[in-house]
Amino acid sequence: MSETFSLQLCKKYGPVCTIWLANKPVVILSGYQTIKDALVLQGEEFNGRAQYPFLVKATNGYGVMVSSGHRWRELRRFSIMTLKNFGMGRRSVEERVQEEARSLVKAFNEYEGGLFNPRELLCNAVANVICSIMFGQRFEYKDPDFLLLYNAVTDVFIVLNSPIGQLYNLFPGILDRLPGKHRDMFALLQDTQAYVKREADTRIKHLDVNSTPQDYIEAFMIKMIQEKDVPNSEFHYDNLLGSVWNLFSAGTETTSSTLRQMILMMIKHPHIQEIDEVIGPDGSPSMDDRSKMPYTDAVINEVQCNMDLTPTSVPHKVTVDTEFKNYHNPKDTMVPLLSSVLSDHKLWRNPGNFDPENFLDEEGRFKKNDAFLAFGLGKRNCLGEGLARMELFLFTSSLLQRFTFVGTRPPEEIDTTPKCCSFGWLPRVYDCYTKLRV
Ligand code: HEM
C-alpha cells in the first residue's frame, strides 16, 4: 500500500477509513488525535500486532515484535528491562556505541578523497551495536558469523521489498510450493537461528544465575532457568531466537537508513554540517553533549520527520471486537497507522520542507513536538527508541567532528526525496566524498 494511496483515501474518507484486502477489512487511522485516541486511550484493544505471513513464517510467531497478548507483554517487559540494565551496567550501551563510532570513523577515513557509497559501512556499524548487546561482543566486519547475521538482515530486507516478497505476504500458501528467492531467505534465517542457538548453548555451560548477565542472550537464558517450573512460561528457545532476530532486524535497517538520509541531507544543505562548538576536535562525543548541541539534535529529528521512514508504522491489529469513533472493528482487524501527522500543516512550521527550526524555540533551545511519531506512540512504541536516538546522535556527531561530506553534484541538483518501497521510504542511492575536518 503506497502512502500516497492511503493518504488520498484518508483525505477523502476521513481519519478512520476501511479498505478491503481480498476478503479482509483493513482499518487505516490517520491524524494525530485519532492515532493517540486509539493507541493511548484504547491501547489495550489496539496493541495487537498484525500477522504478516512472511514474519509469521520467519519466526513461527515467536519474538517480541510479531507476537500479541501475554507473550508480547512478557517479552516486551523483559527486553526493555534488559536494555535498561545494560544502560546502567559496567559496560554501558553508550560505551558500546562510542566504540563502534570510532570504528566507523576509521572505516570512513580509509576512503578519504575517494568516492564511496556509505550504505554498507553505516549498516555494519549499526548491526554491530546490536551484536554487542545480543552477543556481548562486536565483530570484525569480515567475520563469517557477522556476515551471516548481516546478510540475514540485509538480504531479507531486499527480498521483502521485491515483488516476490510482496506476493508472499498475499499468497503464502502458493509461494511456499514454488521455488524462488523467498526460499533462500527462509533457509538463511534458519542458519541464523542455528547460530543464535549455538551461542545460547555455549553460555549455558558456565551460566551463573546470580551473576550480572553480560548480554541479552545470557539474560534470557537466566530467565529461562528461573522460570523452568512456571507453566506456559514464554521464556524458551523459540522466543529467544525470535526476539533476537526481531531486535536485530527492527534495529538495523531503520537506524542505518536514517543515518544514510542524514548524510544526504548534509550534502544538500552544507550549512547544517557546522557541528556545534561543544566537543572540539579531540573529545569523544557522549550523550552528555546532546543537551548542549540543540541544533544537531534538531537536525536529527527533522531528518526523521522529513524522510518518514515507516509511513504506516508496523501495522497493529485489534485484539478483541472494538468500537472506535462509531465504527465496529472485528477482532484481528489489521490497523495501519498513518504517520501523515509528520506532514500536517497544523502541527509543523513548514511541512514537506527540511526545516530544523521545527525543533527549536526562539532562544535556539531544543523543543519537542508531540506530533513527532517516528517511533510510534503508546505501549507498543519502538522499544529501541532510546538506543536508536543514542546511535543517531553519537554516530552523526562523531562523523561530523572528523569530516565534511560532499556529493558528486552541486547541492541544488541533489534530489533528497526518499524512494517508496513496500516497507517504507528509503534514501536514494548515492556516492559521496569526505574531506577531513581536523
Ligand atoms: C531510527 C530508528 C528506528 C525507527 C524510526 C524505529 C521505528 C519503529 C516503529 C515505527 C515501530 C512500530 C511501533 C508500533 O508498533 O506502533 C518500531 C517497533 C520496534 N522497534 Fe524500532 N525503530 C528504530 C530503531 C530500533 C532499534 C535500534 C531497535 C532495537 C533495539 C528497535 C526495535 C524495535 C522493536 C523490537 C519493535 C517492536 C516493539 C513491539 O512490538 O512491542 N527499533 N520501531
Side-chain angles (χ1 to χ4, degrees):
M1 186 184 349
S2 85
E3 189 211 28
T4 327
F5 175 60
S6 8
L7 255 184
Q8 278 168 358
L9 283 176
C10 289
K11 273 186 188 148
K12 191 161 176 196
Y13 298 108
V16 184
C17 87
T18 307
I19 59 166
W20 290 80
L21 280 186
N23 56 350
K24 293 202 177 124
V26 174
V27 173
I28 307 172
L29 302 186
S30 67
Y32 177 66
Q33 198 54 47
T34 308
I35 291 180
K36 191 173 166 204
D37 288 350
L39 297 187
V40 179
L41 293 184
Q42 288 184 236
E44 276 304 304
E45 293 112 297
F46 278 94
N47 275 341
R49 179 67 76 212
Q51 300 287 287
Y52 273 111
F54 166 79
L55 285 179
V56 174
K57 168 106 175 173
T59 62
N60 287 324
Y62 295 107
V64 60
M65 189 165 75
V66 299
S67 53
S68 297
H70 177 256
R71 172 172 300 163
W72 166 67
R73 262 188 292 279
E74 288 282 289
L75 296 176
R76 184 165 167 109
R77 196 178 306 127
F78 167 80
S79 299
I80 289 179
M81 186 58 80
T82 304
L83 290 180
K84 197 166 156 221
N85 288 345
F86 286 158
M88 299 183 297
R90 270 189 303 130
R91 223 179 137 245
S92 68
V93 172
E94 182 173 354
E95 283 171 60
R96 293 171 208 242
V97 180
Q98 284 172 319
E99 179 187 21
E100 202 52 50
R102 284 191 290 275
S103 299
L104 183 66
V105 167
K106 221 168 115 202
F108 269 55
N109 220 2
E110 284 165 18
Y111 285 95
E112 215 253 305
L115 194 61
F116 71 109
N117 178 341
R119 183 181 198 288
E120 194 175 325
L121 294 182
L122 292 171
C123 219
N124 279 338
V126 169
N128 230 346
V129 168
I130 312 251
C131 281
S132 180
I133 295 168
M134 296 289 131
F135 305 105
Q137 56 160 346
R138 71 173 296 277
F139 293 81
E140 288 308 315
Y141 296 149
K142 299 273 181 278
D143 184 302
D145 291 333
F146 179 72
L147 287 174
L148 172 72
L149 296 162
Y150 177 87
N151 289 338
V153 172
T154 48
D155 289 7
V156 166
F157 191 75
I158 290 167
V159 176
L160 254 181
N161 281 318
S162 69
I164 196 102
Q166 296 181 30
L167 274 177
Y168 190 91
N169 276 330
L170 289 173
F171 310 109
I174 300 174
L175 269 282
D176 271 339
R177 292 196 205 114
L178 298 176
K181 283 221 175 305
H182 58 297
R183 288 199 166 206
D184 303 344
M185 186 179 67
F186 289 125
L188 183 62
L189 282 176
Q190 274 180 1
D191 292 347
T192 321
Q193 298 192 344
Y195 171 73
V196 178
K197 174 84 168 48
R198 280 198 302 281
E199 282 289 311
D201 287 342
T202 44
R203 278 159 183 73
I204 200 109
K205 290 181 200 135
H206 58 85
L207 204 61
D208 173 1
V209 287
N210 299 313
S211 71
T212 313
Q214 297 302 308
D215 56 45
Y216 183 92
I217 296 181
E218 214 170 280
F220 204 100
M221 304 291 291
I222 291 176
K223 195 82 177 152
M224 271 166 73
I225 294 172
Q226 287 167 342
E227 294 214 350
K228 71 179 181 333
D229 297 323
V230 175
N232 304 322
S233 166
E234 295 296 347
F235 294 91
H236 48 68
Y237 274 115
D238 287 328
N239 272 330
L240 168 64
L241 306 187
S243 292
V244 169
W245 187 71
N246 280 175
L247 285 158
F248 212 81
S249 49
T252 304
E253 197 62 54
T254 44
T255 315
S256 64
S257 296
T258 310
L259 286 168
R260 225 156 68 238
Q261 181 71 4
M262 187 100 64
I263 294 181
L264 186 61
M265 288 313 232
M266 287 171 191
I267 297 170
K268 171 91 180 165
H269 306 277
H271 68 278
I272 64 171
Q273 298 199 32
E274 285 154 25
I275 189 167
D276 311 48
E277 297 285 318
V278 170
I279 301 164
D282 301 319
S284 185
S286 76
M287 290 310 282
D288 284 343
D289 298 319
R290 196 168 82 163
S291 60
K292 295 173 237 150
M293 296 169 66
Y295 190 70
T296 307
D297 212 1
V299 166
I300 294 172
N301 280 267
E302 181 64 9
V303 166
Q304 287 196 269
C305 256
N306 197 262
M307 84 180 286
D308 196 9
L309 183 69
T310 53
T312 52
S313 186
V314 184
H316 288 214
K317 70 170 184 186
V318 285
T319 51
V320 289
D321 284 359
T322 301
E323 301 301 322
F324 183 67
K325 311 262 180 212
N326 297 327
Y327 290 95
H328 176 74
N329 304 286
K331 179 175 184 291
D332 291 336
T333 301
M334 186 199 248
V335 187
L337 308 147
L338 282 199
S339 57
S340 51
V341 278
L342 294 175
S343 55
D344 188 327
H345 285 262
K346 293 193 278 305
L347 303 168
W348 301 98
R349 242 170 68 114
N350 206 355
N353 292 306
F354 182 74
D355 184 1
E357 301 287 327
N358 269 314
F359 291 94
L360 294 170
D361 67 13
E362 288 78 30
E363 266 102 58
R365 285 178 304 220
F366 182 78
K367 176 186 75 177
K368 275 189 179 169
N369 188 325
D370 285 344
F372 178 86
L373 296 190
F375 292 104
L377 188 68
K379 292 214 166 92
R380 191 134 206 179
N381 70 346
C382 173
L383 74 74
E385 176 173 347
L387 174 62
R389 284 185 180 277
M390 186 185 281
E391 290 184 89
L392 293 176
F393 177 74
L394 293 179
F395 284 144
T396 304
S397 49
S398 301
L399 289 173
L400 280 183
Q401 186 185 31
R402 297 279 159 210
F403 308 110
T404 302
F405 291 93
V406 186
T408 49
R409 277 181 289 163
E412 59 281 8
E413 287 176 22
I414 295 173
D415 185 0
T416 54
T417 332
K419 284 185 80 167
C420 186
C421 68
S422 73
F423 156 82
W425 292 100
L426 286 182
R428 286 170 184 273
V429 178
Y430 63 92
D431 289 330
C432 64
Y433 298 97
T434 56
K435 283 188 196 158
L436 264 190
R437 210 184 266 274
V438 282

